[in-house]
Short mmCIF file of all heavy atoms in Angstrom, two decimals:
data_model
loop_
_atom_site.label_atom_id
_atom_site.label_comp_id
_atom_site.label_asym_id
_atom_site.label_seq_id
_atom_site.Cartn_x
_atom_site.Cartn_y
_atom_site.Cartn_z
N ALA A 377 -199.10 -57.44 190.55
CA ALA A 377 -198.08 -57.44 191.61
C ALA A 377 -196.79 -56.78 191.11
O ALA A 377 -196.15 -56.03 191.85
CB ALA A 377 -197.80 -58.87 192.08
N VAL A 378 -196.43 -57.04 189.85
CA VAL A 378 -195.25 -56.40 189.26
C VAL A 378 -195.44 -54.89 189.22
O VAL A 378 -194.55 -54.11 189.60
CB VAL A 378 -194.99 -56.93 187.83
CG1 VAL A 378 -193.88 -56.12 187.15
CG2 VAL A 378 -194.60 -58.40 187.87
N LEU A 379 -196.61 -54.46 188.74
CA LEU A 379 -196.90 -53.03 188.66
C LEU A 379 -196.82 -52.36 190.03
O LEU A 379 -196.18 -51.32 190.20
CB LEU A 379 -198.29 -52.82 188.06
CG LEU A 379 -198.84 -51.39 188.08
CD1 LEU A 379 -197.95 -50.46 187.26
CD2 LEU A 379 -200.26 -51.35 187.55
N LEU A 380 -197.45 -52.99 191.04
CA LEU A 380 -197.48 -52.40 192.38
C LEU A 380 -196.10 -52.41 193.02
O LEU A 380 -195.72 -51.45 193.70
CB LEU A 380 -198.48 -53.15 193.25
CG LEU A 380 -199.95 -53.01 192.84
CD1 LEU A 380 -200.83 -53.94 193.69
CD2 LEU A 380 -200.43 -51.58 193.00
N SER A 381 -195.34 -53.47 192.81
CA SER A 381 -194.01 -53.56 193.40
C SER A 381 -193.08 -52.52 192.79
O SER A 381 -192.35 -51.82 193.51
CB SER A 381 -193.44 -54.97 193.20
OG SER A 381 -192.26 -55.14 193.94
N ALA A 382 -193.09 -52.41 191.45
CA ALA A 382 -192.26 -51.39 190.79
C ALA A 382 -192.71 -49.99 191.19
O ALA A 382 -191.88 -49.09 191.41
CB ALA A 382 -192.35 -51.56 189.27
N ASN A 383 -194.02 -49.81 191.28
CA ASN A 383 -194.58 -48.51 191.69
C ASN A 383 -194.12 -48.14 193.10
O ASN A 383 -193.70 -47.00 193.34
CB ASN A 383 -196.11 -48.58 191.62
CG ASN A 383 -196.76 -47.24 191.88
OD1 ASN A 383 -196.90 -46.82 193.01
ND2 ASN A 383 -197.18 -46.56 190.82
N LEU A 384 -194.16 -49.11 194.02
CA LEU A 384 -193.72 -48.85 195.39
C LEU A 384 -192.24 -48.51 195.42
O LEU A 384 -191.82 -47.61 196.17
CB LEU A 384 -194.00 -50.07 196.27
CG LEU A 384 -193.66 -49.93 197.76
CD1 LEU A 384 -194.50 -48.84 198.41
CD2 LEU A 384 -193.85 -51.26 198.49
N GLY A 385 -191.44 -49.21 194.60
CA GLY A 385 -190.02 -48.91 194.54
C GLY A 385 -189.74 -47.49 194.08
O GLY A 385 -188.95 -46.77 194.68
N VAL A 386 -190.43 -47.07 193.00
CA VAL A 386 -190.24 -45.71 192.48
C VAL A 386 -190.72 -44.67 193.49
O VAL A 386 -190.02 -43.68 193.77
CB VAL A 386 -191.00 -45.53 191.14
CG1 VAL A 386 -190.95 -44.07 190.70
CG2 VAL A 386 -190.39 -46.42 190.07
N MET A 387 -191.92 -44.88 194.02
CA MET A 387 -192.50 -43.89 194.94
C MET A 387 -191.64 -43.72 196.19
O MET A 387 -191.49 -42.61 196.71
CB MET A 387 -193.93 -44.29 195.33
CG MET A 387 -194.91 -44.34 194.16
SD MET A 387 -195.08 -42.77 193.29
CE MET A 387 -196.03 -41.84 194.50
N ASN A 388 -191.07 -44.81 196.68
CA ASN A 388 -190.23 -44.72 197.88
C ASN A 388 -188.90 -44.03 197.62
O ASN A 388 -188.25 -43.58 198.56
CB ASN A 388 -190.00 -46.11 198.48
CG ASN A 388 -190.99 -46.43 199.57
OD1 ASN A 388 -190.86 -46.00 200.71
ND2 ASN A 388 -192.03 -47.18 199.21
N LEU A 389 -188.50 -43.96 196.36
CA LEU A 389 -187.25 -43.28 196.04
C LEU A 389 -187.44 -41.79 195.77
O LEU A 389 -186.46 -41.07 195.55
CB LEU A 389 -186.59 -43.94 194.82
CG LEU A 389 -185.92 -45.29 195.10
CD1 LEU A 389 -185.42 -45.91 193.80
CD2 LEU A 389 -184.77 -45.16 196.10
N LEU A 390 -188.69 -41.32 195.80
CA LEU A 390 -188.92 -39.89 195.64
C LEU A 390 -188.26 -39.13 196.79
O LEU A 390 -188.34 -39.55 197.95
CB LEU A 390 -190.42 -39.57 195.60
CG LEU A 390 -191.21 -40.12 194.40
CD1 LEU A 390 -192.69 -39.77 194.55
CD2 LEU A 390 -190.67 -39.55 193.10
N PRO A 391 -187.60 -38.01 196.50
CA PRO A 391 -186.89 -37.26 197.56
C PRO A 391 -187.84 -36.45 198.44
O PRO A 391 -187.74 -35.23 198.54
CB PRO A 391 -185.95 -36.36 196.74
CG PRO A 391 -186.70 -36.11 195.47
CD PRO A 391 -187.42 -37.40 195.17
N PHE A 392 -188.77 -37.16 199.09
CA PHE A 392 -189.75 -36.51 199.96
C PHE A 392 -189.50 -36.97 201.39
O PHE A 392 -189.25 -38.16 201.62
CB PHE A 392 -191.18 -36.89 199.52
CG PHE A 392 -192.25 -36.12 200.22
CD1 PHE A 392 -192.65 -34.88 199.75
CD2 PHE A 392 -192.88 -36.63 201.35
CE1 PHE A 392 -193.64 -34.15 200.39
CE2 PHE A 392 -193.86 -35.92 202.01
CZ PHE A 392 -194.25 -34.67 201.52
N PRO A 393 -189.55 -36.06 202.38
CA PRO A 393 -189.30 -36.45 203.76
C PRO A 393 -190.15 -37.64 204.20
O PRO A 393 -191.31 -37.75 203.82
CB PRO A 393 -189.67 -35.19 204.55
CG PRO A 393 -189.46 -34.07 203.60
CD PRO A 393 -189.84 -34.61 202.24
N ALA A 394 -189.56 -38.53 204.98
CA ALA A 394 -190.18 -39.74 205.53
C ALA A 394 -190.11 -40.92 204.56
O ALA A 394 -190.14 -42.07 204.99
CB ALA A 394 -191.62 -39.51 205.97
N LEU A 395 -190.01 -40.66 203.26
CA LEU A 395 -189.82 -41.73 202.31
C LEU A 395 -188.34 -42.11 202.26
O LEU A 395 -187.47 -41.34 202.66
CB LEU A 395 -190.29 -41.31 200.91
CG LEU A 395 -191.78 -41.02 200.72
CD1 LEU A 395 -192.05 -40.56 199.29
CD2 LEU A 395 -192.61 -42.27 201.03
N ASP A 396 -188.06 -43.30 201.73
CA ASP A 396 -186.67 -43.73 201.63
C ASP A 396 -185.84 -42.74 200.82
O ASP A 396 -184.68 -42.48 201.15
CB ASP A 396 -186.60 -45.12 200.99
CG ASP A 396 -187.19 -46.21 201.89
OD1 ASP A 396 -187.17 -46.03 203.12
OD2 ASP A 396 -187.65 -47.23 201.35
N GLY A 397 -186.44 -42.20 199.77
CA GLY A 397 -185.73 -41.22 198.95
C GLY A 397 -185.35 -39.98 199.72
O GLY A 397 -184.25 -39.42 199.54
N GLY A 398 -186.25 -39.51 200.58
CA GLY A 398 -185.95 -38.35 201.41
C GLY A 398 -184.82 -38.62 202.39
O GLY A 398 -183.95 -37.77 202.61
N ARG A 399 -184.81 -39.82 202.96
CA ARG A 399 -183.73 -40.19 203.89
C ARG A 399 -182.40 -40.31 203.14
O ARG A 399 -181.34 -39.94 203.68
CB ARG A 399 -184.08 -41.51 204.59
CG ARG A 399 -185.31 -41.40 205.49
CD ARG A 399 -185.63 -42.71 206.18
NE ARG A 399 -186.85 -42.59 206.96
CZ ARG A 399 -186.93 -42.07 208.19
NH1 ARG A 399 -185.83 -41.59 208.76
NH2 ARG A 399 -188.07 -42.00 208.83
N LEU A 400 -182.46 -40.82 201.92
CA LEU A 400 -181.23 -40.94 201.13
C LEU A 400 -180.63 -39.57 200.83
O LEU A 400 -179.40 -39.42 200.79
CB LEU A 400 -181.51 -41.69 199.83
CG LEU A 400 -181.70 -43.20 199.95
CD1 LEU A 400 -182.16 -43.80 198.62
CD2 LEU A 400 -180.40 -43.88 200.41
N VAL A 401 -181.48 -38.57 200.61
CA VAL A 401 -181.00 -37.20 200.36
C VAL A 401 -180.15 -36.73 201.54
O VAL A 401 -179.03 -36.21 201.36
CB VAL A 401 -182.16 -36.23 200.10
CG1 VAL A 401 -181.67 -34.78 200.12
CG2 VAL A 401 -182.84 -36.54 198.77
N PHE A 402 -180.66 -36.91 202.75
CA PHE A 402 -179.91 -36.49 203.95
C PHE A 402 -178.61 -37.26 204.09
O PHE A 402 -177.57 -36.71 204.48
CB PHE A 402 -180.78 -36.67 205.20
CG PHE A 402 -181.79 -35.58 205.40
CD1 PHE A 402 -183.08 -35.72 204.93
CD2 PHE A 402 -181.46 -34.41 206.07
CE1 PHE A 402 -184.02 -34.72 205.11
CE2 PHE A 402 -182.39 -33.40 206.26
CZ PHE A 402 -183.68 -33.55 205.77
N LEU A 403 -178.66 -38.57 203.78
CA LEU A 403 -177.46 -39.39 203.92
C LEU A 403 -176.40 -39.03 202.88
O LEU A 403 -175.20 -39.03 203.17
CB LEU A 403 -177.84 -40.87 203.81
CG LEU A 403 -178.60 -41.43 205.02
CD1 LEU A 403 -179.16 -42.81 204.71
CD2 LEU A 403 -177.69 -41.48 206.25
N VAL A 404 -176.83 -38.74 201.65
CA VAL A 404 -175.88 -38.33 200.62
C VAL A 404 -175.24 -36.99 200.98
O VAL A 404 -174.02 -36.80 200.80
CB VAL A 404 -176.57 -38.25 199.24
CG1 VAL A 404 -175.67 -37.58 198.21
CG2 VAL A 404 -176.96 -39.66 198.76
N ILE A 405 -176.06 -36.07 201.51
CA ILE A 405 -175.51 -34.79 201.97
C ILE A 405 -174.48 -35.02 203.07
O ILE A 405 -173.40 -34.40 203.10
CB ILE A 405 -176.63 -33.86 202.46
CG1 ILE A 405 -177.50 -33.42 201.28
CG2 ILE A 405 -176.05 -32.63 203.17
CD1 ILE A 405 -178.76 -32.66 201.69
N GLU A 406 -174.79 -35.95 203.98
CA GLU A 406 -173.86 -36.27 205.06
C GLU A 406 -172.56 -36.85 204.49
O GLU A 406 -171.46 -36.51 204.96
CB GLU A 406 -174.50 -37.28 206.01
CG GLU A 406 -173.59 -37.69 207.16
CD GLU A 406 -174.23 -38.69 208.10
OE1 GLU A 406 -175.48 -38.78 208.13
OE2 GLU A 406 -173.48 -39.38 208.82
N ALA A 407 -172.67 -37.71 203.47
CA ALA A 407 -171.48 -38.31 202.86
C ALA A 407 -170.62 -37.24 202.19
O ALA A 407 -169.38 -37.30 202.27
CB ALA A 407 -171.89 -39.37 201.85
N ILE A 408 -171.25 -36.26 201.56
CA ILE A 408 -170.51 -35.19 200.89
C ILE A 408 -169.87 -34.24 201.90
O ILE A 408 -168.69 -33.87 201.77
CB ILE A 408 -171.45 -34.41 199.94
CG1 ILE A 408 -171.91 -35.32 198.79
CG2 ILE A 408 -170.77 -33.16 199.39
CD1 ILE A 408 -173.01 -34.72 197.94
N ARG A 409 -170.65 -33.86 202.95
CA ARG A 409 -170.16 -32.91 203.96
C ARG A 409 -169.21 -33.58 204.97
O ARG A 409 -168.49 -32.92 205.70
CB ARG A 409 -171.33 -32.30 204.73
CG ARG A 409 -172.28 -31.47 203.90
CD ARG A 409 -173.47 -31.02 204.75
NE ARG A 409 -173.11 -30.02 205.74
CZ ARG A 409 -173.43 -30.07 207.03
NH1 ARG A 409 -174.07 -31.13 207.51
NH2 ARG A 409 -173.06 -29.11 207.85
N ARG A 410 -169.32 -34.92 205.06
CA ARG A 410 -168.58 -35.71 206.04
C ARG A 410 -169.00 -35.40 207.47
O ARG A 410 -168.26 -35.61 208.42
CB ARG A 410 -167.07 -35.52 205.88
CG ARG A 410 -166.58 -36.01 204.52
CD ARG A 410 -165.08 -35.97 204.43
NE ARG A 410 -164.64 -36.47 203.13
CZ ARG A 410 -163.37 -36.59 202.77
NH1 ARG A 410 -162.40 -36.22 203.63
NH2 ARG A 410 -163.05 -37.05 201.59
N LYS A 411 -170.19 -34.90 207.59
CA LYS A 411 -170.80 -34.72 208.91
C LYS A 411 -172.31 -34.63 208.71
O LYS A 411 -172.79 -34.14 207.68
CB LYS A 411 -170.27 -33.48 209.64
CG LYS A 411 -170.59 -32.16 208.97
CD LYS A 411 -170.07 -31.00 209.81
CE LYS A 411 -170.43 -29.66 209.17
NZ LYS A 411 -169.96 -28.52 209.99
N PRO A 412 -173.08 -35.13 209.68
CA PRO A 412 -174.53 -35.18 209.50
C PRO A 412 -175.19 -33.83 209.71
O PRO A 412 -174.65 -32.94 210.38
CB PRO A 412 -174.98 -36.17 210.58
CG PRO A 412 -173.95 -36.03 211.66
CD PRO A 412 -172.65 -35.76 210.95
N ILE A 413 -176.36 -33.67 209.10
CA ILE A 413 -177.23 -32.55 209.43
C ILE A 413 -177.78 -32.80 210.83
O ILE A 413 -177.92 -33.96 211.26
CB ILE A 413 -178.39 -32.46 208.40
CG1 ILE A 413 -177.81 -32.07 207.03
CG2 ILE A 413 -179.45 -31.46 208.81
CD1 ILE A 413 -178.80 -32.11 205.89
N ASN A 414 -178.09 -31.75 211.57
CA ASN A 414 -178.62 -31.89 212.92
C ASN A 414 -179.71 -32.96 212.97
O ASN A 414 -180.70 -32.88 212.24
CB ASN A 414 -179.18 -30.54 213.37
CG ASN A 414 -179.65 -30.57 214.82
OD1 ASN A 414 -180.67 -31.16 215.14
ND2 ASN A 414 -178.90 -29.91 215.69
N ARG A 415 -179.50 -33.99 213.79
CA ARG A 415 -180.41 -35.14 213.83
C ARG A 415 -181.84 -34.74 214.23
O ARG A 415 -182.81 -35.29 213.69
CB ARG A 415 -179.90 -36.19 214.82
CG ARG A 415 -178.50 -36.72 214.53
CD ARG A 415 -178.45 -37.54 213.27
NE ARG A 415 -177.15 -38.20 213.12
CZ ARG A 415 -176.72 -38.73 212.00
NH1 ARG A 415 -177.46 -38.65 210.90
NH2 ARG A 415 -175.54 -39.32 211.94
N GLN A 416 -181.96 -33.81 215.16
CA GLN A 416 -183.29 -33.40 215.59
C GLN A 416 -184.03 -32.66 214.49
O GLN A 416 -185.24 -32.84 214.29
CB GLN A 416 -183.19 -32.54 216.85
CG GLN A 416 -182.73 -33.32 218.08
CD GLN A 416 -182.72 -32.45 219.33
OE1 GLN A 416 -182.68 -31.22 219.25
NE2 GLN A 416 -182.75 -33.10 220.48
N VAL A 417 -183.29 -31.83 213.74
CA VAL A 417 -183.90 -31.12 212.61
C VAL A 417 -184.36 -32.13 211.55
O VAL A 417 -185.48 -32.06 211.04
CB VAL A 417 -182.90 -30.12 211.99
CG1 VAL A 417 -183.46 -29.55 210.68
CG2 VAL A 417 -182.60 -29.00 212.98
N GLU A 418 -183.48 -33.09 211.25
CA GLU A 418 -183.83 -34.12 210.26
C GLU A 418 -185.05 -34.92 210.71
O GLU A 418 -185.98 -35.17 209.93
CB GLU A 418 -182.65 -35.06 210.04
CG GLU A 418 -182.96 -36.15 209.01
CD GLU A 418 -181.81 -37.15 208.83
OE1 GLU A 418 -180.70 -36.89 209.34
OE2 GLU A 418 -182.06 -38.19 208.18
N GLY A 419 -185.06 -35.30 212.00
CA GLY A 419 -186.20 -36.05 212.53
C GLY A 419 -187.50 -35.28 212.42
O GLY A 419 -188.55 -35.83 212.09
N GLY A 420 -187.43 -33.97 212.70
CA GLY A 420 -188.62 -33.12 212.61
C GLY A 420 -189.13 -33.02 211.18
O GLY A 420 -190.35 -33.04 210.93
N ILE A 421 -188.20 -32.92 210.24
CA ILE A 421 -188.59 -32.85 208.82
C ILE A 421 -189.26 -34.14 208.38
O ILE A 421 -190.30 -34.12 207.70
CB ILE A 421 -187.36 -32.54 207.95
CG1 ILE A 421 -186.87 -31.10 208.22
CG2 ILE A 421 -187.69 -32.71 206.47
CD1 ILE A 421 -185.55 -30.77 207.54
N HIS A 422 -188.69 -35.27 208.78
CA HIS A 422 -189.30 -36.56 208.41
C HIS A 422 -190.68 -36.73 209.06
O HIS A 422 -191.60 -37.28 208.44
CB HIS A 422 -188.39 -37.72 208.82
CG HIS A 422 -187.14 -37.83 208.00
ND1 HIS A 422 -187.15 -37.71 206.63
CD2 HIS A 422 -185.85 -38.06 208.35
CE1 HIS A 422 -185.92 -37.85 206.16
NE2 HIS A 422 -185.10 -38.07 207.19
N PHE A 423 -190.83 -36.27 210.28
CA PHE A 423 -192.13 -36.37 210.96
C PHE A 423 -193.18 -35.52 210.23
O PHE A 423 -194.31 -35.97 210.02
CB PHE A 423 -192.01 -35.91 212.42
CG PHE A 423 -193.31 -35.99 213.17
CD1 PHE A 423 -193.80 -37.21 213.63
CD2 PHE A 423 -194.07 -34.84 213.41
CE1 PHE A 423 -195.02 -37.28 214.30
CE2 PHE A 423 -195.27 -34.91 214.09
CZ PHE A 423 -195.74 -36.14 214.54
N ALA A 424 -192.79 -34.31 209.84
CA ALA A 424 -193.72 -33.46 209.10
C ALA A 424 -194.10 -34.10 207.77
O ALA A 424 -195.28 -34.08 207.36
CB ALA A 424 -193.08 -32.09 208.85
N GLY A 425 -193.11 -34.71 207.10
CA GLY A 425 -193.40 -35.41 205.84
C GLY A 425 -194.35 -36.57 206.05
O GLY A 425 -195.25 -36.80 205.23
N LEU A 426 -194.16 -37.30 207.16
CA LEU A 426 -195.05 -38.41 207.47
C LEU A 426 -196.48 -37.96 207.67
O LEU A 426 -197.43 -38.59 207.19
CB LEU A 426 -194.54 -39.14 208.72
CG LEU A 426 -195.37 -40.34 209.19
CD1 LEU A 426 -195.40 -41.43 208.12
CD2 LEU A 426 -194.81 -40.90 210.50
#
Side-chain angles (χ1 to χ4, degrees):
V378 173
L379 172 61
L380 294 173
S381 189
N383 186 280
L384 183 63
V386 173
M387 297 301 287
N388 265 280
L389 285 175
L390 294 177
F392 189 85
L395 295 178
D396 292 333
R399 295 180 183 279
L400 285 172
V401 169
F402 281 94
L403 288 169
V404 169
I405 292 172
E406 179 180 339
I408 294 170
R409 297 174 71 229
R410 297 187 179 182
K411 64 177 182 179
I413 293 173
N414 185 287
R415 302 292 189 196
Q416 292 183 339
V417 171
E418 180 183 349
I421 291 172
H422 289 316
F423 180 77
L426 179 62

